Amino acid sequence: MRAAQYSPLLIVGFVVALLAGLPVASVGLNLFVSGTSSTWAHLAQTVLPEYILNSLWLCLGVGCGVGVLGVATAWLTSMHDFPGRRIFDWALVLPLAMPAYVMAYVYTDFLQFVGPVQTALRDTFGWEHGDYWFPDIRTLPGAMLMFVCVLYPYVYLLARTAFLERASGMLEAARTLGMGPWRAFFSVSLPLARPAIVAGVALALMETLADYGTVAYFAVNTFTTGIYRAWFSLGDRVAAAQLAAMLLGFVLFLLMAERVSRGRARYHNTTGRNRPMAGARLSGVPAALAVLACALPLLLGFLLPAVLLLKMALTEGDAQFGGRFLMLARNSFVLAGATAVIGVFLALLMGYGARLSKTAFANGLNRLVGLGYAVPGAVIAVGVLIPVTRLDNWLVGQWEQWFGYNPGLLLTGGIAALIYAYLVRFLAVALHTVESSLAKITPNMDDAARSLGLGQAETLRRVHAPILRGSLFTAGLLVFVDVMKELPATLVMRPFNFDTLATQAYTLASDERLAEASTASLAIVAVGLLPLIALSRQITAARRV
C-alpha cells in the first residue's frame, strides 16, 4: 500500500498541475508589475470603470434571468404533468448547443432595420423610417438576453435534479403540516435546492465573464474586450495581463460567494424517502401557462435561431463554401480532436493516479487542474502567451548561438501553444467525467487484478479501460465540442493566417456579413448537439426510473 501511495503517476499529475497553473500564475504576477505600463494608467482613467460596471451589470442581469428561468422550468417539468412535458424534459437543454455569439449574430440579422421583423411591421402598417420605435438588440440588455437564453440550462439541469431527489419525503412532510403548493415550494423545495441553483448560476456567470464574441459584437465593453484591445490594439502585454488578473478576481469571487453565503446552513435530506413524486396533473389555463413557460425559452434559445441559421445558410450562406470551408472545418476538427485525445489521456492518468495514491496530495493536484474550467479563455490565452513567448525567445537565442541563424518563433506561432491553452481550459471537463466513472468501479476489482499478478499499468489497460470506454468517449466528446465553440483563446493565440469555424463566424459577423457567417455558425451548433443528444437520453431515462 505504501508503494501505491508513491505511484509514478503522481509525478505525471504534479507536472500536469504545474503546467495548468502556470498561465494563472503568470497572469497574477503581473499585478505586482508597476511603473512599466503607461497603458494601464490610461485604461484606469478612461475605460476601466466602464469595464467594471458593465461586467457587474451583466452578472446581475444574467444571474437573475437564468435563476428565474432555470428554476421555473425545472420545477414545472419535475413536479407537474402537462401536455408536452416529456418533450420539454430533454428539449430544454438544447440551447446549450447554441454559442452566445452565434445567437447574437442571428438575432441581430433578424431584428435589424432591414430584417424580416421590422420589414413586416413597415409593410403591415405603412410606416417609414422614424415613424416608430424599435428596441436595439446590440445593447447591454440585449447581451443579457442572449446569455440568459443560452445559459439557463445550467440552472435547469442542476435544479431539476435537486427537485427530483428531494421530491417525495420533504414535500409530503410539508403538506402534512398544512402547507399549500406555493408555500411548500418557497419554504421547503427552494431552500433545499439552493446549493444546486447557486452552482448553476455560478456556471452561467463564469461563461458570461469568459465570453468575448457577444460583448465585442454588441460593443459592450467588458474585461474580455479590454484584454483583447490592450494586447492587440495597444500592444501592451502587461496591461492585458493586469486586466486578465482583475477578471480572474471576478471569477474567484463568484466561486467563493456561494460557499461564504451558506454560513452554517446544511442541506441534508433526512427523510430517507427519495422516490420521485407523481407529477401533479395540470389542465386548462394552468397547463397552457406551463406549456408557454417551457416553450418560450426553448423557442428563443434554440428553435428560432436554429431555423434562421438554416434558412440563411441554404439561401445565402458563405460565398467561400467549398474548399475554404473544408479547410476551416479541418482546422477546427484537428484542434478539437488533438485536444480531446490528449485531454482524455491525461485525465485518465491523473484520475487513476489519485485512485492508487489515495492521498490528499493527489486529490489536491486534481482539484488544481479542475480550476482551469473556471478561468476565462482570454485569461488563459494571456497567461500562456507570456511564459511561452519568453521560452520561445530563449530557445531562439540558444539556437542562433549553436547553429548561427535565427529560426524564428518555434512555439508561439504554431498550434502547440493553442492546444496547451485549450488543455488548461478544458482538461477539467474530461477529468471530472473520468473521476466520476472511476469512483463507480469497486476497489475489489483492483485487488482481484493484483492477486492475478497484474501490475498497475496492466490493471488500467485490461480492467479499467474497457469498463471506462463509454465514459472516455463522453469525456472526449465534451472536450471536442468545447474547443469547437471556444472563441477568445483562439482569436488571441491562433497562428497567422490560421482560422477556424469559430473565428470565421466572428470575422464575417464583425464585417456585417451575417448571412455568410451562418454557414460556419450552423456547423458549430450541429457539432454541439452531439453531447446534448446523449445528455437528453440520460434525462429521459432518469425520469422513467
Side-chain angles (χ1 to χ4, degrees):
M1 183 63 68
R2 295 289 298 176
Q5 289 183 356
Y6 298 98
S7 167
L9 291 177
L10 278 182
I11 301 176
V12 176
F14 178 76
V15 172
V16 173
L18 183 65
L19 292 174
L22 182 60
V24 176
S26 67
V27 166
L29 289 175
N30 280 274
L31 283 176
F32 305 100
V33 177
S34 61
T36 60
S37 174
S38 59
T39 304
W40 175 254
H42 171 71
L43 292 175
Q45 294 173 1
T46 55
V47 294
L48 184 58
E50 184 183 9
Y51 294 163
I52 296 175
L53 191 60
N54 284 342
S55 298
L56 288 174
W57 276 116
L58 268 180
C59 287
L60 180 62
V62 174
C64 293
V66 298
V68 171
L69 200 57
V71 170
T73 52
W75 178 253
L76 287 172
T77 56
S78 62
M79 304 305 299
H80 300 84
D81 191 14
F82 53 90
R85 192 263 302 161
R86 292 185 180 274
I87 297 176
F88 290 127
D89 265 355
W90 58 266
L92 281 167
V93 304
L94 293 180
L96 280 178
M98 189 75 61
Y101 58 86
V102 171
M103 283 271 290
Y105 309 154
V106 172
Y107 276 108
T108 297
D109 181 77
F110 187 57
L111 299 175
Q112 65 181 333
F113 181 77
V114 296
V117 174
Q118 293 200 53
T119 300
L121 288 175
R122 291 193 300 273
D123 292 343
T124 302
F125 299 101
W127 291 337
E128 299 291 340
H129 178 67
D131 292 343
Y132 64 99
W133 174 85
F134 195 85
D136 185 7
I137 192 67
R138 296 176 68 169
T139 58
L140 180 61
M144 293 179 186
L145 179 62
M146 298 298 101
F147 289 124
V148 170
C149 285
V150 299
L151 298 179
Y152 80 85
Y154 283 121
V155 180
Y156 166 76
L157 286 171
L158 295 176
R160 181 182 177 280
T161 301
F163 288 146
L164 287 174
E165 288 176 348
R166 313 282 184 178
S168 178
M170 291 293 186
L171 287 183
E172 288 178 2
R175 291 179 183 179
T176 59
L177 296 175
M179 291 187 181
W182 284 105
R183 187 180 174 190
F185 170 74
F186 285 107
S187 301
V188 179
S189 296
L190 192 60
L192 287 173
R194 178 179 175 273
I197 295 169
V198 175
V201 171
L203 285 172
L205 293 184
M206 284 189 288
E207 290 289 338
T208 301
L209 290 173
D211 178 84
Y212 173 77
T214 307
V215 291
Y217 185 65
F218 279 8
V220 177
N221 289 324
T222 62
F223 280 107
T224 49
T225 61
I227 292 168
Y228 193 84
R229 189 175 298 123
W231 187 280
F232 286 97
S233 300
L234 303 178
D236 193 325
R237 72 177 189 185
V238 174
Q242 290 173 337
L243 285 172
M246 292 190 68
L247 176 57
L248 183 59
F250 264 82
V251 174
L252 293 177
F253 173 78
L254 290 176
L255 292 175
M256 295 176 60
E258 196 279 329
R259 185 174 296 275
V260 173
S261 66
R262 290 191 200 182
R264 296 181 178 272
R266 295 296 180 265
Y267 302 87
H268 304 305
N269 189 349
T270 60
T271 68
R273 293 187 294 174
N274 297 322
R275 67 185 186 280
M277 291 182 63
R281 182 70 183 176
L282 300 180
S283 59
V285 175
L289 292 177
V291 171
L292 179 63
C294 293
L296 194 59
L298 179 61
L299 176 66
L300 296 178
F302 181 76
L303 294 178
L304 179 59
V307 170
L308 293 174
L309 273 178
L310 184 60
K311 179 178 179 294
M312 285 191 291
L314 294 177
T315 57
E316 299 177 69
D318 194 339
Q320 297 180 340
F321 186 81
R324 165 72 175 169
F325 182 83
L326 293 177
M327 182 189 69
L328 295 172
R330 183 202 64 191
N331 291 344
S332 297
F333 274 76
V334 167
L335 289 173
T339 306
V341 171
I342 298 172
V344 170
F345 178 71
L346 293 177
L348 181 60
L349 293 182
M350 294 193 69
Y352 188 57
R355 179 185 177 91
L356 292 177
S357 176
K358 300 178 182 178
T359 61
F361 178 70
N363 291 325
L365 292 177
N366 288 9
R367 299 290 73 76
L368 178 62
V369 172
L371 291 176
Y373 192 66
V375 182
V379 175
I380 290 176
V382 173
V384 167
L385 279 175
I386 291 174
V388 168
T389 302
R390 290 176 179 172
L391 176 62
D392 242 349
N393 291 330
W394 180 83
L395 289 175
V396 167
Q398 295 299 312
W399 189 285
E400 192 170 11
Q401 182 179 347
W402 295 338
F403 301 104
Y405 71 95
N406 189 329
L409 296 178
L410 302 174
L411 301 175
T412 309
I415 66 173
L418 182 55
I419 292 177
Y420 172 36
Y422 288 150
L423 287 172
V424 174
R425 176 87 163 90
F426 300 120
L427 181 57
V429 178
L431 183 59
H432 175 74
T433 305
V434 171
E435 281 186 323
S436 61
S437 299
L438 277 172
K440 298 176 183 177
I441 300 177
T442 173
N444 294 336
M445 299 189 70
D446 299 61
D447 297 336
R450 300 283 173 80
S451 68
L452 294 175
L454 297 182
Q456 296 176 359
E458 281 295 300
T459 302
L460 175 62
R461 184 179 68 86
R462 299 178 60 179
V463 178
H464 291 87
I467 298 175
L468 296 173
R469 186 179 293 114
S471 297
L472 296 178
F473 177 77
T474 300
L477 188 59
L478 290 172
V479 174
F480 185 92
V481 172
D482 279 334
V483 173
M484 289 284 293
K485 296 192 295 183
E486 174 63 27
L487 182 62
T490 311
L491 282 174
V492 174
M493 298 192 61
R494 74 188 192 277
F496 177 74
N497 203 27
F498 184 93
D499 289 312
T500 65
L501 292 172
T503 61
Q504 176 77 349
Y506 171 76
T507 301
L508 292 175
S510 300
D511 294 338
E512 300 301 330
R513 297 157 65 184
L514 297 173
E516 294 179 59
S518 63
T519 305
S521 300
L522 187 63
I524 296 171
V525 173
V527 172
L529 282 175
L530 297 177
L532 288 180
I533 292 173
L535 181 61
S536 299
R537 289 172 131 187
Q538 293 180 4
I539 290 175
T540 304
R543 180 74 195 203
R544 292 172 179 170
V545 173

